[in-house]
């Protein structure tokens, strides 16, 4: 059975952020991720994770100085300098947290120039921080219209083109189902390049139980494939988080 992490941006929101760590550990999670953790001092987040005995699994980048602005722009032509300066700061933040992965968000752009920009930025980032695990994640166009990376085959092509050992796929079953129509088939196609997984139910992006994705079957497929990474619960609880954790496998 894979190791499960809680996305504290979306789960346990009935509590202040620094109290969510202990709640996640008590609920049975072994790790956590925070999408944009930059509004809280890294030392406080690190202390909360260590106190709860949790691994800090993933965070997004850039930008660390986000204050209501665009959530990622790595594929946007003309913003390369901003990407590079913010990436450096994101890496320093991730190192302070001992975060396992940094998800590089493509941003909202289209066309060949956007692809070239994204590829150059990914190559630069992978070389700039060879000790850091980097991921890219396709987002479905219904929820994120205009987002550059909206196709799993494109993500696979970009990863192959960059050819960096520290760049891989972030596989979100919710987005995979909406993009491809068959999350299980998408997993079989792209399991070999996946280094992080996120899950949510469909429809509604609530608890990963029932609905259009067979999660017991998916977890069994992960075991058969030998996947050794994390599976993060990234969903909107239908009520209080603790009331909807019946899906979480127990040791």
């Amino acid at each position: 059975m894979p190791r499960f992490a809680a996305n504290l941006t979306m789960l346990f929101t009935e509590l202040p952020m620094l109290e969510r760590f202990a709640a996640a550990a008590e609920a049975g999670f072994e790790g956590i991720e925070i999408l944009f953790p930059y509004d809280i001092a890294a030392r406080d987040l690190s202390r909360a994770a260590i106190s709860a005995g949790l691994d800090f699994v993933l965070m997004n980048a850039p930008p660390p100085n986000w204050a209501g602005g665009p959530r990622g722009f790595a594929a946007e032509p003309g913003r390369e300098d901003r990407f590079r300066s913010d990436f450096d700061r994101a890496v320093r933040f991730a190192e302070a947290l001992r975060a396992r992965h940094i998800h590089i968000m493509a941003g909202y752009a289209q066309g060949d120039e956007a692809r070239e920009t994204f590829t150059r930025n990914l190559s630069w980032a992978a070389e700039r921080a060879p000790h850091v695990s980097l991921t890219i994640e396709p987002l479905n166009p219904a929820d994120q219209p205009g987002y550059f990376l909206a196709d799993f085959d494109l993500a696979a092509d970009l990863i192959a083109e960059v050819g960096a050992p520290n760049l891989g796929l972030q596989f979100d079953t919710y987005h995979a189902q909406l993009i491809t129509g068959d999350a299980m088939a998408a997993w079989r196609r792209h399991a070999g390049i996946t280094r992080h997984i996120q899950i949510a139910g469909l429809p509604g992006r609530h608890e990963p139980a029932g609905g259009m994705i067979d999660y017991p079957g998916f977890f069994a497929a992960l075991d058969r494939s030998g996947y050794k990474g994390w599976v993060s619960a990234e969903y909107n609880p239908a009520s209080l988080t603790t009331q909807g954790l019946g899906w979480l496998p127990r040791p």
Side-chain angles (χ1 to χ4, degrees), residues 157-219:
D157 288 346
L158 291 169
I159 290 168
E161 185 174 343
V162 172
N166 59 327
L167 177 65
L169 180 68
Q170 185 167 314
F171 186 93
D172 187 307
T173 54
Y174 169 83
H175 291 296
Q177 183 68 31
L178 287 173
I179 291 170
T180 71
D182 190 337
M184 291 287 286
W187 165 252
R188 290 191 293 270
R189 183 174 176 84
H190 299 295
I193 59 171
T194 297
R195 59 182 54 199
H196 185 62
I197 294 172
Q198 294 170 324
I199 58 174
L202 189 73
R205 201 168 186 174
H206 297 312
E207 284 76 2
M212 299 174 66
I213 302 172
D214 173 16
Y215 275 108
F218 180 68
F219 298 151

Side-chain angles (χ1 to χ4, degrees), residues 70-105:
R71 300 195 176 197
F73 41 82
E76 295 184 20
R79 306 193 73 179
E80 291 87 347
D81 289 345
R82 169 74 186 274
F83 171 81
R84 293 182 179 196
S85 64
D86 280 1
F87 178 79
D88 282 345
R89 282 178 277 174
V91 168
R92 291 195 293 270
F93 206 94
E95 289 172 342
L97 296 174
R98 298 183 181 178
R100 291 176 177 262
H101 307 294
I102 297 178
H103 167 212
I104 297 180
M105 300 197 73

Side-chain angles (χ1 to χ4, degrees), residues 28-94:
F29 291 101
E30 298 180 77
I32 62 91
E33 65 179 29
I34 300 176
L35 299 183
F36 292 93
Y38 306 106
D39 290 339
I40 300 176
R43 64 180 177 276
D44 293 335
L45 294 169
S46 179
R47 188 179 299 119
I50 292 170
S51 178
L54 298 169
D55 281 3
F56 205 114
V57 178
L58 178 135
M59 52 179 268
N60 289 347
N65 55 346
W66 177 74
R71 300 195 176 197
F73 41 82
E76 295 184 20
R79 306 193 73 179
E80 291 87 347
D81 289 345
R82 169 74 186 274
F83 171 81
R84 293 182 179 196
S85 64
D86 280 1
F87 178 79
D88 282 345
R89 282 178 277 174
V91 168
R92 291 195 293 270
F93 206 94

